[in-house]
Amino acid sequence: MRLAPTPFRPVCPPPGPTKVTRDDPRYASLTSLGTPRFRGTGTPEYVWVVRTTDHVVRAVQEAVRKGKRLAVRSGGHCYEDFVDDPSVQVVIDLSCMTTVSYDRRHRAFAVEAGATLGQLYRELFLRWGVTVPAGWCPGIGVGGHVIGGGYGPLCRWAGLSADHLHAVEVVFVDRNGTARRVVATREPGDRHRELWWAHTGGGGGNFGVATRYWFRAPDATGHDPRRLLPAPPASVLNFHAEWDWRGMDEAAFSRLVGNQGRWSEEHSSPGSPFARLDSELHLFRALAGRSVLDGRISVGDASAQRMLDDYVTALDEGVGSPFTVRQERLPWLTATLRGPGLDENPYRLKPKSGYLRGRLTDRQTAAAYHHLTRPDSPVVGGALGLYTCGGEVNAVAPDATASAQRDSVLKAVHLAAWTDPVEDAAHLAWVRAFYRDFYADTGGVPVPGAGNCDGSYINYPDVDLADPEWNSSGTPWSTLYYKDNYARLQAVKARWDPRNVFTHVLGVEPA
């Protein structure tokens, strides 16, 4: 007897969001998605796994009704415990909201906030041949990255992610405690425009839940989606160089640091022919044995080789330390998806950032050499990163978006990285002392407008900036991140989150 085949019936997810409580086998996975230093420290009562904006509205409404403190996660790569804070009772997880599409009504590309940068790059490039200039790490979530401004390898040539943000969909909570959805655009006549502006650098976890972004280049015209965002080159010239610490005395170190600063000063104006060259000079602790330069030239023809030769020659001039260079030309998408995978990163990280409007001062260089070579510290995984900045980023006025740092040439990143929690205290002490001494002339922090400093990058949040022990400048953390834009952000906060539902240690305070 032959049985008739059973017709296939797809199993659809339930109509509402999924509430994952502590007794659910999925709970451990959902609460261990953060960076390793804070992974598992949060113990929310439950996690909402959402798939639509309506789901987010429902999840936010329930948390507000019950008086629960909530936090939102997209990629899970925050460098502080804004989501993994033990006081957070409810987490809204956006990782299932990953759709990338073209919206004819907005003439823009709609991207859900749970998509990763890797998904964004792949979809935009393979379907339309375009991209959004954004971060180097493909595993980072779009949700938190764009709100902080969004910086990456193509930004010197094309500007920040936020410079291409046309609209944002936000779930907010009004004064009556009602969760609602709104779309805010950059159109001059949009009465919600200030909410759009706050999402161009105001930082995550401040105004509501960003569920969807629409991207379109600010100068784009017409309706052809292939011309509404930058088109990346067919190929990229990746390069990697190393300087051996053996023989790297203080004079050679100072020369290398000065060369990177000098080159950046000369080639970081808008329209520079070197704007398609992006690099990161990682000056590691001497115990690590070497310092490393990683970079990319986003040019598909022979001029890329000439750029690389000129740059490396300028960087190595007078250094005299053993030196090697490797290079590889790759298709653009292949090169882009090769970025570091933070999801697989085992390191407990503490980064501290600063924008620099010029090369390092002699005092900053001496502080860097001291802390990278000091024999009284066991820290191996410590570094100073000097990242090229500027270019088209500096073509935008400081108040046109919430990303206020618009005249820098370098981004300095002080970093400690380790794996054993037992070593937390030693590594935190080392990087904090290094950062404080590096900015000793300005109270231990990069005070905007003081010397070569221009504040810090909100996507590398650092709670030490709000601690008088480490910030003795008299300049509040909010000025370090937002400069003169903070008062305007406070006004947006008061309008769109009057009950202060969305908050954390470095949260924007209502006016």
Side-chain angles (χ1 to χ4, degrees):
M1 175 179 174
R2 298 182 64 183
L3 298 176
T6 302
F8 173 71
R9 294 186 178 89
V11 179
C12 297
T18 302
K19 181 186 283 189
V20 177
T21 56
R22 291 170 180 164
D23 58 353
D24 191 303
R26 294 169 290 185
Y27 180 87
S29 295
L30 288 168
T31 55
S32 62
L33 295 175
T35 52
R37 189 156 69 96
F38 301 107
R39 193 170 289 165
T41 59
T43 56
E45 296 174 15
Y46 51 87
V47 179
W48 281 113
V49 179
V50 295
R51 292 173 296 279
T52 70
T53 302
D54 287 342
H55 289 182
V56 177
V57 171
R58 174 179 163 183
V60 171
Q61 188 66 75
E62 180 178 299
V64 171
R65 186 177 69 252
K66 294 182 176 180
K68 305 291 185 181
R69 182 177 173 188
L70 63 84
V72 184
R73 171 175 283 145
S74 54
H77 298 107
C78 182
Y79 287 124
E80 294 290 0
D81 65 346
F82 296 168
V83 178
D84 294 308
D85 186 329
S87 69
V88 169
Q89 298 164 296
V90 177
V91 172
I92 299 175
D93 185 284
L94 303 175
S95 61
C96 288
M97 296 182 66
T98 61
T99 301
V100 178
S101 61
Y102 178 66
D103 185 335
R104 293 181 182 276
R105 184 169 60 92
H106 283 287
R107 291 193 305 113
F109 296 91
V111 181
E112 290 187 316
T116 65
L117 294 183
Q119 291 170 320
L120 173 67
Y121 295 145
R122 184 186 296 276
E123 288 285 310
L124 289 180
F125 184 68
L126 294 182
R127 295 175 68 182
W128 297 282
V130 298
T131 193
V132 172
W136 186 25
C137 305
I140 287 176
V142 170
H145 183 70
V146 174
I147 300 178
Y151 185 85
L154 291 180
C155 290
R156 279 168 44 85
W157 163 59
L160 299 176
S161 304
D163 297 339
H164 296 75
L165 183 63
H166 172 73
V168 59
E169 178 183 68
V170 183
V171 174
F172 70 101
V173 178
D174 66 18
R175 195 170 299 278
N176 297 321
T178 302
R180 298 162 56 192
R181 165 192 176 275
V182 66
V183 174
T185 76
R186 68 179 171 212
E187 297 297 337
D190 187 345
R191 62 193 178 97
H192 306 319
R193 190 176 190 276
E194 284 295 281
L195 183 61
W196 161 83
W197 179 86
H199 283 76
T200 61
N206 281 315
F207 311 103
V209 184
T211 53
R212 183 177 286 102
Y213 297 104
W214 284 264
F215 294 100
R216 188 210 309 160
D219 58 350
T221 58
H223 295 268
D224 185 347
R226 296 169 298 177
R227 290 174 171 79
L228 297 179
L229 281 175
S235 63
V236 173
L237 184 62
N238 277 9
F239 58 91
H240 175 89
E242 296 184 3
W243 285 263
D244 199 314
W245 264 105
R246 290 173 295 182
M248 176 77 77
D249 59 13
E250 187 166 6
F253 176 86
S254 299
R255 192 62 182 260
L256 178 59
V257 168
N259 289 346
Q260 174 77 332
R262 190 175 303 106
W263 187 93
S264 297
E265 288 176 344
E266 295 172 355
H267 301 289
S268 293
S269 59
S272 167
F274 282 88
R276 287 178 179 257
L277 187 153
D278 167 79
S279 76
E280 301 175 354
L281 176 61
H282 297 277
L283 302 157
F284 290 112
R285 282 268 291 165
L287 290 174
R290 62 197 170 95
S291 289
V292 169
L293 175 75
D294 283 306
R296 300 142 292 275
I297 302 176
S298 301
V299 176
D301 57 35
S303 64
Q305 187 65 54
R306 294 192 295 272
M307 281 190 205
L308 176 58
D309 294 343
D310 289 348
Y311 174 57
V312 171
T313 299
L315 213 59
D316 193 50
E317 182 182 359
V319 176
S321 179
F323 168 63
T324 58
V325 182
R326 298 196 306 269
Q327 63 186 66
E328 182 181 22
R329 182 169 286 283
L330 295 168
W332 178 80
L333 186 61
T334 302
T336 300
L337 297 180
R338 271 195 184 180
L342 290 181
D343 292 327
E344 296 82 29
N345 189 339
Y347 293 106
R348 303 168 73 82
L349 300 173
K350 177 62 175 181
K352 303 170 79 68
S353 67
Y355 285 97
L356 301 179
R357 298 181 299 164
R359 71 190 76 176
L360 272 62
T361 65
D362 291 344
R363 182 164 180 169
Q364 288 171 333
T365 303
Y369 185 79
H370 167 69
H371 283 281
L372 294 173
T373 61
R374 52 184 283 201
D376 62 332
S377 174
V379 168
V380 176
L384 170 65
L386 296 176
Y387 304 170
T388 53
C389 198
E392 290 306 307
V393 174
N394 292 354
V396 178
D399 61 351
T401 67
S403 300
Q405 288 81 9
R406 296 291 186 169
D407 65 351
S408 301
V409 301
L410 286 169
K411 185 181 293 183
V413 179
H414 296 68
L415 177 69
W418 66 102
T419 57
D420 191 341
V422 174
E423 299 176 357
D424 283 6
H427 286 77
L428 290 172
W430 177 84
V431 74
R432 284 167 169 161
F434 183 9
Y435 191 77
R436 177 199 61 204
D437 293 350
F438 190 85
Y439 295 111
D441 290 336
T442 54
V445 295
V447 175
N452 64 351
C453 302
D454 202 32
S456 302
Y457 181 39
I458 190 58
N459 272 356
Y460 297 164
D462 177 12
V463 297
D464 294 343
L465 300 187
D467 186 342
E469 180 179 357
W470 300 107
N471 177 3
S472 60
S473 69
T475 301
W477 65 265
S478 53
T479 300
L480 297 175
Y481 285 122
Y482 302 119
K483 299 172 63 174
D484 294 337
N485 286 340
Y486 187 59
R488 189 172 169 187
L489 288 169
Q490 287 186 288
V492 176
K493 175 76 170 179
R495 163 66 178 85
W496 292 98
D497 187 22
R499 299 165 66 101
N500 204 25
V501 171
F502 303 95
T503 187
H504 50 77
V505 176
L506 298 179
V508 172
E509 299 168 341

